[in-house]
Amino acid sequence: MGGDHHHEPPYKVPDYKVYKVDENSPELLEIQRALAAQGLKDPWIRNEVWRYNRQLIGPQNWSTRWGRLMFRKFPTGLALAAATVGIEMAYDTWMGSGDHGHGHGGHH
């Protein structure tokens, strides 16, 4: 049992020092300026740079967001919808005509 086994995680967490709030993350730069105007500072803001940095995620505008929605999310949604319809149709076929004996003239 025990032993001296050291396992590395399946991912590499980047050092926070490599990120810098600058013109590549304009949203964070704006927040940083607004805080500075009030005499405040957020020491953790650079931990969010990876989410906003244009060099990492590319330009952000309505067309890139729409394209990301259509090409990443739409196919998955369409496949799930088609699977749901297929399962419902198969279930109705398996159960009979869909009447299931309810209502007028049903079987007891």
Side-chain angles (χ1 to χ4, degrees):
M1 299 229 204
D4 199 14
H5 300 285
H6 296 289
H7 296 283
E8 295 293 323
Y11 52 85
K12 171 89 170 106
V13 177
D15 186 8
Y16 71 94
K17 296 173 196 156
V18 302
Y19 296 119
K20 186 171 127 185
V21 177
D22 58 14
E23 63 277 349
N24 290 314
S25 51
E27 297 90 350
L28 296 179
L29 196 56
E30 181 64 31
I31 292 170
Q32 196 174 46
R33 287 180 185 150
L35 288 171
Q38 297 180 19
L40 301 172
K41 184 178 179 182
D42 183 357
W44 300 100
I45 198 166
R46 70 173 148 188
N47 291 342
E48 299 299 318
V49 168
W50 67 273
R51 295 178 193 253
Y52 296 93
N53 190 307
R54 299 296 187 263
Q55 291 177 330
L56 299 173
I57 63 172
Q60 296 296 300
N61 55 39
W62 71 270
S63 65
T64 58
R65 289 183 184 147
W66 180 253
R68 196 171 288 131
L69 171 73
M70 290 305 291
F71 293 111
R72 288 187 186 173
K73 308 297 182 189
F74 183 75
T76 302
L78 184 61
L80 291 172
T84 301
V85 169
I87 290 169
E88 285 184 2
M89 289 176 70
Y91 179 77
D92 285 345
T93 301
W94 180 64
M95 293 299 289
S97 65
D99 184 23
H100 307 302
H102 298 291
H104 301 289
H107 304 288
H108 295 277

